[in-house]
């Protein structure tokens, strides 16, 4: 096999691991089939956002992000715009969403990648369990989703080996100006921007897992219990990873939005691939 590439670079933000799982699968397939090493940069935690990637035309990039409010996560936007300095690097854009919709997120990611010097040759929108709910898109990505991810990785390798660098057409607005506005069960706007997790101190063992997984560095160890004192993006990392279930969001608008999602969406959209 005539391979001129030196490595497959994964790049991912993934507070609860769903996006990372998808990214690893595609990176793994491409790296194995091209017989080149792979490396993943995960910028979920603040320390990883102090550095950027310099990539050349013999690198391959797979960049995966979760969808938040129909776009790439707002609080990551600034970092994403400077995360990669590429020179015609063949690249794959992936968005992972929880079964409502990915709206403009894929087009926005492709646009950021192109402005960073990437040559986007493939893109995908994949459903994974919605972190807000235990009932939405459960079991996704399924075994058949994973099989199609593998096939997609294979297709990307085919394109590279055939020197086909065409850019896929992806749906959505590449320069979106609005975010999806979450709704309550009665159809009115849900306002939970300022909501934060609350701790049931009787369940907290002061293990500080929550402190260590918060992408915003907004949880501090305070004597015995965590203190939430910064921006909360509702990423769910702390409450999903707390080993005792001590954390939850009790905000009524947030809970009504989750109920609305569960009432109206099944999370059964197939994986979509563009290349
Ligand atoms: C703040 C926030 C907003 C979200 N907005 C959407 C959305 O607009 N559409 C959707 O289908 N899923 C949405 N989701 C679900 C996530 O995209 C999905 O759960 C994803 O798998 C989370 O990625 P992770 O497991 O890598 O953290 C949202 C999740 C969060 C935390
Ligand atoms: S992860 Fe849970 S148990 Fe551990 S410190 Fe945080 S709230 Fe307490
Ligand atoms: S405090 Fe908010 S931002 Fe931090 S991990 Fe918890 S949900 Fe995510």
């Amino acid at each position: 096999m005539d391979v001129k590439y030196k490595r497959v670079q994964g790049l991912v933000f993934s507070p609860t691991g769903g996006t990372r799982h998808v990214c690893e699968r595609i990176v793994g397939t491409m790296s194995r089939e091209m017989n080149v090493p792979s490396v993943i940069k995960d910028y979920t935690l603040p320390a990883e956002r102090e550095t950027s990637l310099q990539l050349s035309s013999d690198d391959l990039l797979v960049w995966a992000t979760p969808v938040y409010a129909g776009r790439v996560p707002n609080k990551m936007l600034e970092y994403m715009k400077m995360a990669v300095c590429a020179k015609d690097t063949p690249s794959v854009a992936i968005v992972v969403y929880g079964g409502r919709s990915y709206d403009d997120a894929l087009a926005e990611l492709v646009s950021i990648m192109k402005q960073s010097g990437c040559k986007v040759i493939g893109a995908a929108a994949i459903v994974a369990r919605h972190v807000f709910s235990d009932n939405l898109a459960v079991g996704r990505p399924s075994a058949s989703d994973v099989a199609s991810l593998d096939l997609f990785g294979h297709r990307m390798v085919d394109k590279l080996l055939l020197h086909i660098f065409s850019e896929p057409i992806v749906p959505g607005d590449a320069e979106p100006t609005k975010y999806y506005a979450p709704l309550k069960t009665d159809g009115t706007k849900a306002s939970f921007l300022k909501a934060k997790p609350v701790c049931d101190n009787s369940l907290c063992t002061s293990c500080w897992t929550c402190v260590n997984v918060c992408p915003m560095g907004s949880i501090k160890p305070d004597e015995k219990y965590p203190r939430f004192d910064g921006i909360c993006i509702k990423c769910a990392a702390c409450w999903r990873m707390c080993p005792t279930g001590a954390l939850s969001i009790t905000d009524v608008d947030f809970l009504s939005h989750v109920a609305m999602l569960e009432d109206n969406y099944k999370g059964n959209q197939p994986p979509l691939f563009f290349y």
Side-chain angles (χ1 to χ4, degrees):
M1 193 185 283
D2 160 34
V3 179
K4 67 162 187 146
Y5 298 102
K6 66 171 189 276
R7 138 186 85 187
V8 185
Q9 172 76 58
L11 180 60
V12 67
F13 175 74
S14 186
T16 65
T19 311
R20 183 165 176 134
H21 172 61
V22 170
C23 184
E24 279 174 347
R25 193 78 200 186
I26 296 170
V27 166
T29 302
M30 290 176 67
S31 136
R32 246 186 336 275
E33 292 198 7
M34 301 203 81
N35 199 21
V36 294
S38 66
V39 56
I40 301 232
K41 177 177 171 68
D42 186 329
Y43 58 93
T44 305
L45 295 179
E48 272 299 325
R49 300 196 293 271
E50 281 163 18
T51 56
S52 57
L53 285 173
Q54 308 292 317
L55 301 174
S56 57
S57 57
D58 56 6
D59 287 303
L60 301 169
L61 175 67
V62 178
W63 192 342
T65 178
V67 175
Y68 284 6
R71 291 183 51 183
V72 306
N74 169 275
K75 294 290 178 215
M76 293 301 124
L77 201 48
E78 196 185 328
Y79 173 70
M80 289 174 78
K81 287 181 178 166
M82 46 87 48
V84 171
C85 180
K87 272 206 180 109
D88 287 335
T89 307
S91 304
V92 178
I94 313 287
V95 296
V96 176
Y97 68 110
R100 186 193 64 77
S101 169
Y102 62 96
D103 296 329
D104 294 321
L106 190 57
E108 188 180 27
L109 176 62
V110 167
S111 167
I112 293 168
M113 291 171 73
K114 282 163 62 182
Q115 285 170 46
S116 307
C118 300
K119 205 183 269 221
V120 178
I121 64 160
I126 309 297
V127 175
R129 194 271 310 266
H130 199 304
V131 293
F132 287 174
S133 165
D134 288 328
N135 300 312
L136 184 51
V138 183
R140 304 291 302 277
S142 62
S144 88
D145 293 333
V146 170
S148 35
L149 289 177
D150 292 350
L151 198 58
F152 175 65
H154 182 74
R155 291 275 176 271
M156 292 300 96
V157 171
D158 279 351
K159 268 191 95 163
L160 292 164
L161 296 180
L162 294 169
H163 305 284
I164 301 171
F165 299 107
S166 53
E167 186 188 319
I169 296 167
V170 302
D173 185 347
E175 309 290 336
T177 50
K178 289 198 183 115
Y179 289 87
Y180 161 74
L183 300 175
K184 296 191 277 192
T185 45
D186 64 4
T188 60
K189 193 167 172 263
S191 304
F192 52 85
L193 224 55
K194 298 230 162 96
K196 289 177 185 185
V198 291
C199 182
D200 178 343
N201 292 349
S202 69
L203 294 175
C204 178
T205 58
S206 315
C207 71
W208 308 135
T209 301
C210 54
V211 173
N212 295 324
V213 299
C214 178
M216 303 311 294
S218 293
I219 312 179
K220 304 285 174 338
D222 197 7
E223 300 271 321
K224 262 184 107 180
Y225 307 116
R227 178 166 47 86
F228 298 84
D229 69 352
I231 291 170
C232 172
I233 58 172
K234 268 66 75 184
C235 72
C238 59
W239 79 76
R240 289 267 170 212
M241 285 178 224
C242 169
T244 65
L247 299 175
S248 59
I249 295 227
T250 54
D251 182 278
V252 289
D253 274 29
F254 177 82
L255 295 177
S256 181
H257 175 57
V258 176
M260 187 287 291
L261 290 172
E262 291 174 345
D263 287 349
N264 290 286
Y265 300 95
K266 291 193 174 66
N268 57 359
Q269 299 95 327
L272 293 175
F273 300 102
F274 308 89
Y275 52 90

